[in-house]
């Protein structure tokens, strides 16, 4: 069975309280379906939201793994404002690295992103390494790869799934056959076509993940593919 990853990326949205309401709403909906074990639901939330989300996931034994949206390239020490990989170990199993918004707004470089990926691996966590295309450098320590064409992010329209499929294949071939996901304007209307492409092993969902009902609908559709 093809392993499929559904990654919700809240970006810089949701207070602690809003996050809890979101997860409780999703939990109610999920209680009505069975999520097959080949589907991995990963919720990437702001650092501040993660501990209270973790409590709910544990208490309700939800089929959800948590992820951070960023991590320090350094270990613990004198790096004011940073959250390092070791600190995340108790709360998440995944870390999103090198999202195009971090490269653009925070000027994260390939060297820093490689360090972040290595820190994540050292801590025993998994990384979702984001790239904008096959030409971008991907550290060998990355667990899975997320291909996100910047023109499709928040654009309201996905890239042509056949093109994404070709690009995901190329990225995978160049990187030790790692699994590659697609991200950029994925919704319940586009998810089936994207995930039935052979080289696409999951999707990242930004805008459409902010509403728990929309995110549930995506999970429900993918569960019955
Ligand atoms: P979007 O964001 O679904 O809102 O296009 C995807 C992402 O940036 O991960």
């Amino acid at each position: 069975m093809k392993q499929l990853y559904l990654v919700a990326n809240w970006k810089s949205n949701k207070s602690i309280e809003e996050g809890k309401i979101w997860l409780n709403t999703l939990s109610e909906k999920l209680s009505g379906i069975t999520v097959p074990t080949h589907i991995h639901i990963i919720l990437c939330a702001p650092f501040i939201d993660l501990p209270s989300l973790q409590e709910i996931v544990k208490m309700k034994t939800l089929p959800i793994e948590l992820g951070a949206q960023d991590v320090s390239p350094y270990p613990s020490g004198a790096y004011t404002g940073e959250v390092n990989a070791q600190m995340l170990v108790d709360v998440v199993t995944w870390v999103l690295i090198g999202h195009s918004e971090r490269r653009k707004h925070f000027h994260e470089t390939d060297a820093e992103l490689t360090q972040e990926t290595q820190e994540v691996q050292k801590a025993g966590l998994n990384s979702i390494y984001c790239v904008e295309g096959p030409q971008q450098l991907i550290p060998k320590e990355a667990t899975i790869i997320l291909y996100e064409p910047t023109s499709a992010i928040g654009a309201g329209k996905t890239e042509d799934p056949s093109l994404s499929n070709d690009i995901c294949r190329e990225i995978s071939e160049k990187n030790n056959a790692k699994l590659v996901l697609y991200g950029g304007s994925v919704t319940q209307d586009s998810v089936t076509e994207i995930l039935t492409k052979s080289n696409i092993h999951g999707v990242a969902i930004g805008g459409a993940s902010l509403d728990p009902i929309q995110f549930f609908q995506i999970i429900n559709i993918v569960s019955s593919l």
Side-chain angles (χ1 to χ4, degrees):
M1 199 62 162
K2 181 174 159 185
Q3 299 297 305
L4 288 178
Y5 294 83
L6 301 181
V7 181
N9 177 13
W10 284 356
K11 309 191 178 187
S12 189
N13 290 291
K14 297 198 188 295
S15 65
I16 295 173
E17 213 40 50
E18 288 167 341
K20 288 192 209 167
I21 293 170
W22 185 98
L23 191 52
N24 283 322
T25 309
L26 179 66
S27 159
E28 263 172 48
K29 301 291 291 178
L30 283 176
S31 64
I33 66 163
T34 304
V35 179
T37 52
H38 69 278
I39 296 179
H40 307 273
I41 304 170
I42 303 170
L43 169 56
C44 295
F47 290 130
I48 196 168
D49 296 345
L50 288 169
S52 49
L53 296 174
Q54 184 193 32
E55 259 179 51
I56 298 173
V57 168
K58 275 192 179 162
M59 198 174 63
K60 300 193 172 181
T61 56
L62 300 176
I64 294 178
E65 292 178 70
L66 294 174
Q69 300 175 357
D70 184 32
V71 65
S72 174
Y74 301 108
S76 58
Y79 304 102
T80 301
E82 288 298 273
V83 173
N84 67 61
Q86 204 53 51
M87 291 167 160
L88 288 171
V89 165
D90 295 334
V91 196
V92 305
T93 44
W94 292 89
V95 181
L96 211 52
I97 295 181
H99 191 282
S100 60
E101 289 154 11
R102 296 219 53 89
R103 295 175 192 260
K104 179 176 169 203
H105 299 294
F106 306 99
H107 314 292
E108 291 188 346
T109 63
D110 286 346
E112 284 164 338
L113 298 174
T114 298
Q115 263 178 262
E116 290 183 14
T117 312
Q118 290 166 347
E119 285 300 311
V120 164
Q121 192 200 39
K122 260 191 256 163
L125 297 172
N126 302 298
S127 52
I128 304 170
Y129 196 88
C130 308
V131 290
E132 293 156 42
Q135 72 293 343
Q136 249 167 347
L137 179 123
I138 299 173
K140 62 178 187 321
E141 295 86 355
T143 313
I144 58 176
I145 301 168
L146 170 56
Y147 163 58
E148 294 202 306
T150 41
S151 57
I153 296 179
K157 196 174 180 322
T158 63
E159 184 177 67
D160 169 14
S162 300
L163 173 62
S164 309
N165 188 45
D166 289 346
I167 295 175
C168 288
R169 184 182 53 228
E170 189 180 340
I171 294 174
S172 181
E173 280 171 1
K174 278 190 175 168
N175 292 278
N176 244 335
K178 285 190 209 277
L179 299 185
V180 185
L181 327 184
Y182 165 85
S185 295
V186 177
T187 62
Q188 64 206 72
D189 299 327
S190 53
V191 73
T192 303
E193 190 183 352
I194 295 168
L195 287 186
T196 44
K197 299 286 182 214
S198 57
N199 299 293
I200 304 180
H201 284 263
V203 286
I205 305 144
S209 76
L210 293 176
D211 172 11
I213 305 296
Q214 273 190 56
F215 187 58
F216 168 74
Q217 273 157 357
I218 292 174
I219 296 171
N220 197 21
I221 290 169
V222 177
S223 294
S224 54
L225 275 184

